[in-house]
Structure formats: C-alpha cells, structure tokens
Amino acid sequence: MRESIGMHAGTQKVIEIHEMQNRIRVFKNRIQAGRVLAGMLKPRCPPECIIYAIPSGGVPLGIEIAASLNLPLEIAVVSKITLPWNTEAGYGAVAFNGTAKLNRSLISRLHLPEAQVREGIESTLEKVRRRLTKFRAEGQLRELTGKTAVLVDDGIASGFTLLTGIEALKAMGPAGVYAASPTGSLESVMKVAAEADLVLCANIRSGWSFAVADAYEEWADIDESEAARMFTDYLNSGGTGGA
C-alpha cells in the first residue's frame, strides 16, 4: 500500500495510506490494524522509542506494535469526560498525571453548568486513578527524558483523548511525541497534528459523520479488565514493558 505524506490532511506532519482514504471496513480487527501501524512506524521510530497505549481500545494495538518492532510498551491512562446523558460522547479528557483538557466550545453549546463540569472532571480523575492501580500497580511510567513517545489509540474521533495524552507525555521531557491510530476524522487529525511531532493515521475520513468502529470489520468494546489481562499476558510472555 502506498503511504501519503500530508496528501489528505495537507501537512507534512501527517502520514496516511492513500488507498484507505475515505473508506470504511479497511481493517479486519485491531490486531491487523496494529500491524499496519507497525509498518508505518518502522522506518520512523528513533532508536529509543517507547510505545504508550491508551486503554482500553489502544492496548491490543500497542501490544501488536511493540511486539512487531521489539519496542518497550507502556500504558498511558487517559479517559474522556463523558456527558451525563451519553457515556459514548465526551467534552474533554483527563490523563494519568492529572492533566485535563476541556472542549469549551461544546460545553458552551450544551450549556453545561460549571458545577457539572467540575463534577465530571473529578469523577473522571477517580476513574483514571482506578485504572492506574489496575495497570500500574508496581510503579511509575519509565523514564522518558530524551526519548520518543508513540501514543496509540484505536481511533481519533474528537481527538481530545490523544491531545490530553500528548500534553501529559510532553511534561515528561521527551525528545518527541508521535500519535498513532488506525483511523481518524480529518478535522480531529489536524487538531492532533498541531500538538504532536508526527501523526500516523492510515485511514483518514472527511465529512460530517465519523465513527471509529466503521473502520473495522470486527468491532467490540474492550473493558479495562480485559485490557489489563492483555497487558499482563503480554508481559508474562516475555514482552517488554513495565517500569
């Protein structure tokens, strides 16, 4: 498949796959999508590169990439702040170090009270802390100073999860932060590209409607317990990860 540099997104900071532009059902599942991303990353990862998977959906992708490229794997807990009446939609995100980013334009359009917004941040922070305990019981994230982080998720819908994770990773003093995702909305990919040093997104789609699941033939939500088991099994099988 032919890669394109910024052909669709209009920026040199975005790598995509030409044949996948504006198509749906381009990946069999997350495992196959991870292999595609690994191929895109292989010529672009500096020697000291660390993969950071966002749970839950980014974990199988991160495992596949790390295993394929023989790179260290970490879990970067980032969780979206969901709307009270729709847990699939969010108005921001909170990261593992407490970094929070809010979609102020959406909050304004929905007329969300500040008290409700603060409550959402606090409840999401508790969720992040719980996930940290589940994934990181034995220590902190490994040293990132001077190294390149690759933040992985299974899709870029609003982009706020990746943007929050990028900001949190930048606080750790890396040489650079890449974002890698199999599929993404063009508008959101552009937002992520403004903050990341490089974005690798095989399947970029434009238009008013976007759903991450549409890129996959086989799609199922992964809960945090399943993602934690995947990560533990990977480490127990000899995969590189942990502190």
Side-chain angles (χ1 to χ4, degrees), residues 20 23-28 32 203 214-217:
M20 291 187 180
R23 293 179 55 199
I24 61 172
R25 310 286 185 264
V26 292
F27 306 109
K28 179 177 175 57
Q32 192 247 332
N203 167 238
D214 286 346
Y216 299 85
E217 294 176 5

Side-chain angles (χ1 to χ4, degrees), residues 29-31 53-64 67 73 75 134-135 154 220-240:
N29 50 33
R30 289 182 178 90
I31 302 302
I54 296 177
S56 292
V59 172
L61 287 155
I63 289 171
E64 192 63 34
L73 175 65
I75 301 297
K134 190 177 289 272
F135 284 99
D154 57 7
D221 289 332
I222 299 173
D223 65 31
E224 63 185 60
S225 295
E226 183 180 1
R229 178 190 55 76
M230 289 178 181
F231 183 55
T232 300
D233 288 350
Y234 175 68
L235 298 186
N236 289 341
S237 70
T240 305

Side-chain angles (χ1 to χ4, degrees), residues 7 13 20 45 60 64-65 68 73 104 116 126 135 137 144 173 175-176 180 212 217 235 241:
M7 181 180 292
K13 292 171 70 175
M20 291 187 180
C45 264
E64 192 63 34
I65 294 167
S68 296
L73 175 65
R104 283 292 178 186
Q116 190 174 68
E126 285 302 313
F135 284 99
L144 184 54
V212 170
E217 294 176 5
L235 298 186

Side-chain angles (χ1 to χ4, degrees), residues 162-194:
L162 276 171
L163 287 169
T164 307
I166 288 167
E167 184 173 326
L169 288 172
K170 282 183 175 180
M172 297 172 65
V177 178
Y178 297 175
S181 179
T183 185
S185 153
L186 175 59
E187 180 181 1
S188 297
V189 167
M190 293 296 288
K191 291 177 183 176
V192 173

Side-chain angles (χ1 to χ4, degrees), residues 38-217:
M40 296 171 74
L41 274 165
K42 186 174 182 178
R44 298 178 173 94
C45 264
E48 291 191 331
C49 206
I50 302 174
I51 305 301
Y52 289 83
I54 296 177
S56 292
V59 172
L61 287 155
I63 289 171
E64 192 63 34
I65 294 167
S68 296
L69 302 181
N70 194 29
L71 292 172
L73 175 65
E74 290 281 4
I75 301 297
V77 177
V78 186
S79 184
K80 65 184 175 184
I81 309 167
T82 59
L83 295 168
W85 59 87
N86 183 355
T87 57
E88 294 301 314
Y91 57 89
V94 176
F96 53 88
N97 65 349
T99 295
K101 289 185 76 69
L102 298 174
N103 186 340
R104 283 292 178 186
S105 62
L106 178 60
I107 290 169
S108 178
R109 288 200 306 273
L110 295 175
H111 305 289
L112 292 177
E114 279 300 316
Q116 190 174 68
V117 171
R118 288 195 299 271
E119 183 180 337
I121 294 171
E122 286 303 315
S123 63
T124 305
L125 187 54
E126 285 302 313
K127 178 181 178 182
V128 167
R129 288 169 179 155
R130 185 184 71 248
R131 285 189 167 188
L132 281 171
T133 300
K134 190 177 289 272
F135 284 99
R136 303 290 318 165
E138 295 182 357
Q140 301 298 313
L141 294 173
R142 72 177 68 224
E143 177 64 39
L144 184 54
T145 304
K147 301 175 183 179
T148 298
V150 181
L151 189 60
V152 178
D153 206 356
D154 57 7
I156 307 175
S158 71
F160 268 87
T161 300
L162 276 171
L163 287 169
T164 307
I166 288 167
E167 184 173 326
L169 288 172
K170 282 183 175 180
M172 297 172 65
V177 178
Y178 297 175
S181 179
T183 185
S185 153
L186 175 59
E187 180 181 1
S188 297
V189 167
M190 293 296 288
K191 291 177 183 176
V192 173
E195 301 300 328
D197 294 288
L198 187 68
V199 178
L200 300 105
C201 186
N203 167 238
I204 298 179
R205 286 177 274 145
S206 56
W208 64 270
S209 177
F210 176 85
V212 170
D214 286 346
Y216 299 85
E217 294 176 5

